[in-house]
Amino acid sequence: MSRKTTGGSTGQAVTIWKTADSIAQEAAANWRGFSWAGVEIGDRQGRFWGIPFDRRERWRAKLIDFVNNRKRCSAFSFSENDMEKYTHLLNRFKPDYFYGYVSMLAAYAEFLRGARVKLNFQLKAVIATSEVLTTYHRRLLQEVFNTRVYNEYGCGELGTIAHECEKGSLHVNTENMIVEIVNGVSPCGPNELGEVVVTELNNLAMPLVRYRLGDFAKFSPQPCPCGRNLPIIKEVAGRAYDMVYDSGGKIFHGEFFMYIFEEVKKKRLGVKAFQVVQKDFDHFIIKIHPDSGYS
């Protein structure tokens, strides 16, 4: 079994146990979804993601990146100088596809529009995750990266919940989970907006049952032209992250603070939840919900 600690967008860190079988099932569904974007196992990935703060975890992340044939562009170091360095790195590596936070991919695309350096390779696809992929973001990424953009919907506790197919539908991974859309306790009908509730099917160590994500979405009543019979989610709303700027122009993804408090949770320092408010470039208010062990 593996223990996984994740920071939620509410600031509530969640620790769960996952069986090896459930992790394998999650990976299988993930690679199936990637294949719909033309991406196969072993393809080179340019990853726009966070980096752990703990030294041991950072080395572990580097090893995982190496094994998975990917280069990581840090969400926590994203000034124009950083993005220029990432461009040189990616031009040497020549990834087959990009994967990462929507806001980070969008910031990099906006940088490339006026940058002195350009990408010298052709991508198969861009797979965007963790945040709502708006029409604006999709058009921006397609225009700058000159490739098709695919949406991925999921969360750290459950893995990927749904992947976008080549026809543009977001299909649920029903082999791994039951997804409900509810209004209170009542199930929503097709095209009716409601809260997303998920039940795991494969993780026997610590299954999440009717787990509320805090997101809202609709089920589509129409079958997908791709011919797959998996249910279709549309109009996902929720989990929009802010970007944090410092006085030197450096950009930090909102997950920066999630990673800090993941370490706090692992070290059992007694923080149940948190909120960070940026007042100006040099001043932050950090609100703490203390738990047992806090000092």
Side-chain angles (χ1 to χ4, degrees), residues 157-211:
E157 302 92 318
L158 297 162
T160 53
I161 296 169
H163 284 274
E164 182 179 335
C165 74
E166 67 276 11
K167 297 296 184 181
S169 298
L170 201 57
H171 291 281
V172 176
N173 296 325
T174 52
E175 300 92 343
N176 293 349
M177 58 194 68
I178 298 170
V179 176
E180 302 171 80
I181 296 178
V182 300
N183 181 3
V185 296
S186 303
C188 293
N191 283 325
E192 184 181 351
L193 185 69
E195 187 177 3
V196 179
V197 178
V198 182
T199 298
E200 284 187 296
L201 298 178
N202 300 320
N203 184 24
L204 302 182
M206 188 179 170
L208 297 173
V209 179
R210 305 207 77 205
Y211 184 69

Side-chain angles (χ1 to χ4, degrees), residues 25-46:
Q25 296 276 9
E26 179 184 319
N30 191 57
W31 282 111
R32 178 182 64 182
F34 277 28
S35 72
W36 298 345
V39 173
E40 300 297 335
I41 294 175
D43 283 353
R44 296 182 301 277
Q45 180 192 107

Side-chain angles (χ1 to χ4, degrees), residues 1 24 39 42 52 54 61-62 112 124 126 156 169 174 178 189 198 229 263:
M1 289 191 296
V39 173
D54 180 79
K62 287 182 178 181
L112 284 177
K124 290 182 177 182
V126 171
S169 298
T174 52
I178 298 170
V198 182
N229 293 321
E263 292 302 316

Side-chain angles (χ1 to χ4, degrees), residues 57-70:
E57 290 297 316
R58 183 171 293 190
W59 278 107
R60 182 173 178 270
K62 287 182 178 181
L63 178 60
I64 293 172
D65 286 345
F66 175 77
V67 171
N68 285 277
N69 203 15
R70 64 197 189 198

Side-chain angles (χ1 to χ4, degrees), residues 25-127:
Q25 296 276 9
E26 179 184 319
N30 191 57
W31 282 111
R32 178 182 64 182
F34 277 28
S35 72
W36 298 345
V39 173
E40 300 297 335
I41 294 175
D43 283 353
R44 296 182 301 277
Q45 180 192 107
R47 189 175 186 84
F48 293 77
W49 209 252
I51 292 179
F53 290 102
D54 180 79
R55 181 177 297 178
R56 181 178 176 184
E57 290 297 316
R58 183 171 293 190
W59 278 107
R60 182 173 178 270
K62 287 182 178 181
L63 178 60
I64 293 172
D65 286 345
F66 175 77
V67 171
N68 285 277
N69 203 15
R70 64 197 189 198
K71 294 293 184 182
R72 190 179 302 218
C73 302
S74 173
F76 309 149
S77 185
F78 221 58
S79 66
E80 286 202 1
N81 286 338
D82 293 322
M83 287 188 274
E84 189 167 322
K85 291 176 184 176
Y86 295 150
T87 306
H88 290 300
L89 171 71
L90 294 168
N91 278 336
R92 290 195 302 270
F93 184 59
K94 300 189 185 305
D96 297 298
Y97 68 107
F98 283 166
Y99 177 84
Y101 301 132
V102 173
S103 55
M104 211 182 151
L105 288 164
Y108 185 55
E110 289 169 347
F111 162 78
L112 284 177
R113 272 181 164 173
R116 294 171 295 175
V117 290
K118 302 293 182 183
L119 300 180
N120 61 14
F121 52 89
Q122 180 60 47
L123 296 167
K124 290 182 177 182
V126 171
I127 300 175

